[in-house]
Amino acid sequence: MSILVHSVLNMKLIKPLDIDAPLDRFSEARAVEHVRVLSKEIDGRQVGRQGLKDAAQYIKTQLEIIKERAGSNMRIEIEETAVDGTFNMIFLGHSISFGYRNHTNIVMRISSLDSQETDPSVLVNGHFDSPPGSPGAGDCGSCVASMLEIARLTVDSGWAPPRPIIFLFNGAEELFMLGSHGFMTSHRWRDTIGAFVNVEASGTGGLAQDVFPVIPGDTDYRIFANDHGKIPGLDVIFLLGGYFYHTSYDTIERLLPGSIQARGDNLFSVIKAFTNSSMLQNAHERESLTAAANGSDEERPVFFDYLSYFMLFYSRKQALVLHRMLFHAIGIILAIIFPMIFSIFRLLFSGHSMNWFAHPYLAFMMFIPCSLVGLLTPRFVLGCFPLSQDVSILKMSKEAIADEARFWGAFGLYSLLTLAYLVAGLSGGFLTFSMTVFMLPAWISFCLSIKSFGYQSLRSTACYVIPLIPCLTYSVYFGGFLAQFLIEKMGMMGSLPPPYGYFIPDVTMAAIIGVVTGWCVGPLIPVAGHWLARSSIMQLLLQLIVVALAVSSQFFPYSTDAPKRVVLQHTILTADAEQIVDSSYDFTVVDSNYLPFLFKHAPEVAKELHIGSNFSFETTDQFHRQTWMALFPVSFLFSSSLKFPANGDDILKQYRYFPHISTNKPQMISDGGSRRVYLEFSLGSLKEIWVAVLNITGPLSSWSLANNILPAPETVDGGPPSYICRLSGDSPENWTFWLEASSSEALRVEVAVLDQYLMESTKKLKGLFPTWADVSAYSSYMSSYVF
């Protein structure tokens, strides 16, 4: 089962087509050539850098080439638009305002000659910008490449879509979905979209759908489906290879072969199905239908694939019936609790956590034996203290009566345990539901076999196990995928302060492995438990636990294939436009192995920062979230930081003016006592600005940002309520806005500007880190004003 699952997860069942593949087929090799240009030949596709403009030009050129190849049976329109906007959003649980301008979107519309401008269309969206410090081969060069190849395939196959297809290449997703917001609020085709497919990547391979709602983060799917469209659609993403997500290791070499081919073939089939669907409706038709149905969403389906071979689905109405019950077997609970206890015990004797991060098999080696002990404990205890009817059986002289009693006793016991799993299955989603479906015939088969073979016969056990094989295979498939995905994501899930944060990842992973073991082994326990719950097997499992404790502690948590994420911020405090007040290097990490671990294993960095043996992390490790305002709200994933002095002379040589805010006309005071302050924000002469963040505190009652709507106030480091606004977009013009105070009390405006350009000294410091550390480095220019 595991070998089959490995082949499915790693796309070995998919044969990528080469660059000479027929033109009427999607070719991974042709798509990878686009990835190579976007991630290797172009130097950085970040907002504020020239590389993003080069990427936009490359995409537009490729679309023009495709347009030239189109036949006479289709119409192709290509647009490059600059989007501007302002709005509020809740992201990662925090309220933020956004102001943006001049972000580039490239739109291609393929339609038949007789199509109308208002015809319902299918949107395919992907973003071509990448996060700071990442070449973005997976996220999302692979998405853009897939879309370009699908657009070419549509034209070269000669297929004229019955409904228009819109390809949106948006240039500002990493800044919290600004490109898609700009399209949905201003583009002339926004109301024609009847369905959409959002193409994303949270790794470098392994196809999945509808996952982001259950993990921290968001995609453009949110904008289309929830915030600004209510459009039905799919969120198709890469999930495996999460080690490299948003790091410098997200390169073309890390792409999982077969994944782009699988995604391309699936996307083209989905697009064809959507454009041929009679249910495709534009915004006006959709609103009318929703109003007539009183907003009911009972027809929304629950659907999933079985090992990538076929799809199962049922309606939400049916799901409400199937999933209404809840029951947790004692063995499943113990299968989760035992590995959690073991993980805590192991950490008390080891030097660091997350040993399994670079070696995922360690997680299974460490926690599966504990989970099995938990699963088998109820059955083992039951064997030590037999049921009363078993005791009475031993006293009976007649063998026939004893056999009959054994049968009914076994029947009752196994029926009770199996029914417990059935009820538990009804309470869950598609996995537990599939368990229910397969355990029912297995239970019937076993009950019938007892009469012929006896309840302790291997044949009876086989009659129970064989019908479960499809269910167990899927449990291994889904459970293995889930465990691998979460292991990779643990490197960026944030951390809690010591001493509790040290335990969180291992305890979490132990619980996940316990759940997976319960899925994969739990259905066998009602019948096979008496073969497994023996003292010899329990002793073997306990010995394996001890060995796992000793062996796993010897492994280093990180490698170049599983890097530790480090954030290096060169913080420059400025006054006015030309004065530097302070300059420092600030460090933080986003997993449970804190900064002392980092500098212990990076001696060259420690030496450069003058960290000696007498350095006290306890007195120096002071975390102030305000320091990391340029990354808000991602900064809430951090729990500790270190500050070291830096030389600011090279900054003065590099830049003449720094970001600053000034009043651009006299303030106005109303009769009611409120006052309006008119401000102008200059970004100075910085080179590669990604974003500017404003933190405004005081009696703010209104502002000109976000359509004059204030976001919910945030509290940073226990300070007064404040209002956060992120500003982005390339423009020679300054930002102008007004703030309105409800009283004469002062308004305080704190500014943090993230510049991707690094001074030579910062580049040198970054280069001293070992290869197992991925360092996201940038400069943050901070200043404060009172009005």
Side-chain angles (χ1 to χ4, degrees):
M1 291 180 184
S2 296
I3 292 173
L4 172 63
V5 165
H6 185 268
S7 67
V8 172
L9 290 181
N10 289 276
M11 298 294 172
K12 293 181 180 178
L13 74 165
I14 303 294
K15 182 182 179 181
L17 298 185
D18 60 27
I19 203 164
D20 297 322
L23 295 180
D24 61 349
R25 293 291 306 277
F26 183 96
S27 164
E28 177 172 303
R30 285 192 285 257
V32 168
E33 178 60 22
H34 294 308
V35 181
R36 185 189 63 78
V37 174
L38 292 168
S39 62
K40 279 194 169 184
E41 292 188 8
I42 294 176
D43 182 24
R45 306 191 313 277
Q46 292 81 26
V47 170
R49 301 191 66 191
Q50 179 61 37
L52 190 65
K53 300 177 181 178
D54 296 340
Q57 184 58 46
Y58 174 79
I59 293 168
K60 190 174 181 181
T61 300
Q62 294 301 310
L63 295 179
E64 294 290 352
I65 294 173
I66 293 172
K67 180 178 181 179
E68 293 175 0
R69 300 165 62 151
S72 58
N73 63 335
M74 62 181 64
R75 179 189 298 117
I76 294 183
E77 302 163 84
I78 299 172
E79 295 182 359
E80 179 178 342
T81 61
V83 294
D84 311 89
T86 178
F87 66 105
N88 294 329
M89 175 190 286
I90 301 293
F91 187 80
L92 293 179
H94 299 278
S95 183
I96 321 171
S97 286
F98 295 88
Y100 64 93
R101 60 191 183 188
N102 292 338
H103 288 307
T104 300
N105 284 341
I106 300 173
V107 185
M108 181 188 202
R109 186 176 187 263
I110 302 178
S111 60
S112 61
L113 292 179
D114 58 351
S115 67
Q116 304 298 314
E117 188 78 2
T118 58
D119 282 354
S121 60
V122 174
L123 174 71
V124 183
N125 173 77
H127 68 92
F128 61 91
D129 65 320
S130 62
S134 175
D139 181 25
C140 212
S142 68
C143 311
V144 171
S146 296
M147 291 168 61
L148 288 173
E149 176 64 3
I150 289 173
R152 180 211 59 78
L153 174 59
T154 302
V155 169
D156 285 347
S157 65
W159 171 62
R163 303 289 180 87
I165 305 172
I166 298 173
F167 292 91
L168 170 59
F169 301 84
N170 88 71
E173 189 271 348
E174 298 294 354
L175 284 163
F176 302 168
M177 296 80 74
L178 302 184
S180 56
H181 178 272
F183 177 87
M184 288 304 299
T185 55
S186 63
H187 201 278
R188 60 192 173 101
W189 290 329
R190 67 185 186 275
D191 289 333
T192 69
I193 300 170
F196 74 94
V197 181
N198 182 55
V199 190
E200 250 298 357
S202 183
T204 55
L207 205 56
Q209 189 266 338
D210 273 358
V211 175
F212 266 97
V214 297
I215 63 173
D218 256 320
T219 70
D220 288 318
Y221 177 90
R222 166 183 177 169
I223 298 296
F224 303 124
N226 300 321
D227 293 1
H228 296 277
K230 307 298 182 184
I231 306 169
L234 300 174
D235 200 19
V236 180
I237 62 179
F238 282 170
L239 277 187
L240 298 181
Y243 290 128
F244 319 118
Y245 174 66
H246 282 203
T247 74
S248 60
Y249 292 97
D250 184 10
T251 61
I252 192 171
E253 293 78 14
R254 302 291 186 178
L255 294 175
L256 184 63
S259 293
I260 292 180
Q261 186 70 46
R263 179 168 64 187
D265 289 339
N266 277 282
L267 285 178
F268 194 57
S269 297
V270 167
I271 291 169
K272 279 190 169 183
F274 282 2
T275 55
N276 280 288
S277 174
S278 60
M279 299 178 67
L280 197 70
Q281 300 165 327
N282 61 31
H284 176 72
E285 294 168 337
R286 199 162 51 248
E287 289 173 2
S288 301
L289 182 66
T290 302
N294 295 319
S296 173
D297 67 345
E298 289 184 350
E299 294 307 311
R300 293 179 60 190
V302 176
F303 59 95
F304 53 95
D305 71 287
Y306 183 83
L307 300 177
S308 298
Y309 293 121
F310 57 86
M311 295 290 295
L312 299 173
F313 66 93
Y314 46 94
S315 71
R316 186 168 296 271
K317 195 173 189 178
Q318 293 167 323
L320 292 175
V321 176
L322 293 171
H323 302 169
R324 70 180 184 269
M325 302 175 69
L326 180 63
F327 187 91
H328 291 284
I330 295 176
I332 298 292
I333 296 174
L334 293 179
I336 298 171
I337 293 176
F338 277 29
M340 292 173 67
I341 294 173
F342 166 76
S343 69
I344 295 173
F345 182 76
R346 189 193 71 82
L347 288 172
L348 295 176
F349 290 90
S350 65
H352 45 256
S353 63
M354 296 178 61
N355 301 70
W356 36 262
F357 184 63
H359 316 280
Y361 60 87
L362 284 179
F364 297 95
M365 185 184 79
M366 291 162 56
F367 301 131
I368 285 180
C370 306
S371 298
L372 291 175
V373 170
L375 277 173
L376 295 174
T377 293
R379 189 65 183 83
F380 181 75
V381 172
L382 186 64
C384 296
F385 302 96
L387 296 176
S388 58
Q389 64 262 37
D390 293 333
V391 176
S392 64
I393 286 172
L394 296 176
K395 297 179 181 179
M396 292 183 182
S397 57
K398 294 185 178 181
E399 186 174 342
I401 298 177
D403 287 342
E404 188 73 11
R406 285 169 185 248
F407 167 74
W408 288 110
F411 181 86
L413 175 62
Y414 296 145
S415 298
L416 179 63
L417 292 175
T418 305
L419 282 172
Y421 278 96
L422 290 175
V423 175
L426 290 173
S427 71
F430 58 87
L431 182 61
T432 45
F433 175 65
S434 66
M435 285 183 182
T436 303
V437 171
F438 284 96
M439 284 186 73
L440 184 60
W443 174 56
I444 295 173
S445 174
F446 174 71
C447 292
L448 294 175
S449 68
I450 290 178
K451 275 288 188 180
S452 300
F453 306 121
Y455 77 99
Q456 287 191 338
S457 168
L458 280 174
R459 294 182 180 181
S460 297
T461 304
C463 289
Y464 178 78
V465 172
I466 291 174
L468 281 176
I469 288 178
C471 163
L472 297 179
T473 303
Y474 190 80
S475 298
V476 174
Y477 165 70
F478 184 80
F481 163 77
L482 177 65
Q484 178 66 37
F485 168 65
L486 291 177
I487 286 172
E488 294 174 356
K489 289 301 180 186
M490 281 297 170
M492 58 173 296
M493 296 301 285
S495 58
L496 295 175
Y500 306 109
Y502 180 69
F503 295 91
I504 296 301
D506 276 63
V507 172
T508 301
M509 189 49 55
I512 293 298
I513 297 296
V515 171
V516 170
T517 305
W519 284 339
C520 299
V521 183
L524 297 175
I525 299 301
V527 170
H530 71 277
W531 296 97
L532 301 174
R534 301 181 178 185
S535 60
S536 58
I537 292 181
M538 298 294 277
Q539 290 175 16
L540 174 62
L541 291 174
L542 292 174
Q543 291 171 359
L544 289 175
I545 291 172
V546 174
V547 171
L549 172 63
V551 173
S552 62
S553 299
Q554 304 305 311
F555 283 80
F556 192 68
Y558 308 102
S559 69
T560 54
D561 292 328
K564 180 179 180 63
R565 298 167 188 266
V566 181
V567 181
L568 165 56
Q569 176 177 282
H570 185 185
T571 307
I572 303 100
L573 298 181
T574 65
D576 298 323
E578 301 177 351
Q579 182 181 356
I580 292 179
V581 178
D582 187 33
S583 177
S584 64
Y585 294 127
D586 294 276
F587 293 89
T588 190
V589 293
V590 289
D591 64 29
S592 65
N593 288 314
Y594 297 107
L595 292 162
F597 171 92
L598 174 67
F599 293 114
K600 175 184 176 181
H601 295 280
E604 292 186 4
V605 178
K607 181 180 178 181
E608 180 72 14
L609 296 172
H610 307 292
I611 299 176
S613 57
N614 59 345
F615 185 85
S616 174
F617 286 99
E618 288 73 18
T619 59
T620 309
D621 187 6
Q622 301 294 324
F623 183 74
H624 298 287
R625 209 173 301 280
Q626 199 73 16
T627 303
W628 305 93
M629 195 173 71
L631 293 179
F632 181 91
V634 178
S635 55
F636 279 85
L637 296 176
F638 310 154
S639 67
S640 62
S641 63
L642 285 175
K643 180 184 291 290
F644 300 92
N647 193 329
D649 294 340
D650 51 352
I651 304 171
L652 292 170
K653 295 177 182 177
Q654 186 66 45
Y655 291 137
R656 183 178 178 184
Y657 299 113
F658 302 121
H660 60 280
I661 292 180
S662 59
T663 55
N664 63 346
K665 63 179 181 178
Q667 62 177 307
M668 293 178 57
I669 302 177
S670 68
D671 295 337
S674 64
R675 60 191 180 90
R676 182 170 293 184
V677 182
Y678 296 88
L679 303 176
E680 182 173 3
F681 177 32
S682 169
L683 294 170
S685 53
L686 303 191
K687 293 185 175 181
E688 298 178 349
I689 296 172
W690 192 60
V691 71
V693 179
L694 307 182
N695 178 27
I696 304 168
T697 57
L700 187 65
S701 58
S702 183
W703 61 5
S704 59
L705 303 164
N707 301 315
N708 307 121
I709 301 174
L710 292 176
E714 293 283 328
T715 301
V716 180
D717 288 341
S722 59
Y723 301 87
I724 310 293
C725 181
R726 292 168 56 101
L727 303 175
S728 63
D730 184 25
S731 173
E733 299 178 358
N734 295 338
W735 292 89
T736 57
F737 58 97
W738 53 260
L739 305 176
E740 189 169 277
S742 58
S743 68
S744 60
E745 183 182 344
L747 290 174
R748 183 180 181 86
V749 182
E750 294 170 302
V751 180
V753 179
L754 193 158
D755 184 15
Q756 298 164 91
Y757 182 83
L758 299 179
M759 301 300 159
E760 289 301 322
S761 56
T762 310
K763 291 179 182 178
K764 176 185 175 183
L765 181 59
K766 178 183 177 182
L768 295 176
F769 280 87
T771 56
W772 51 261
D774 181 79
V775 183
S776 295
Y778 62 92
S779 303
S780 178
Y781 291 83
M782 305 186 70
S783 53
S784 182
Y785 309 86
V786 176
F787 300 101

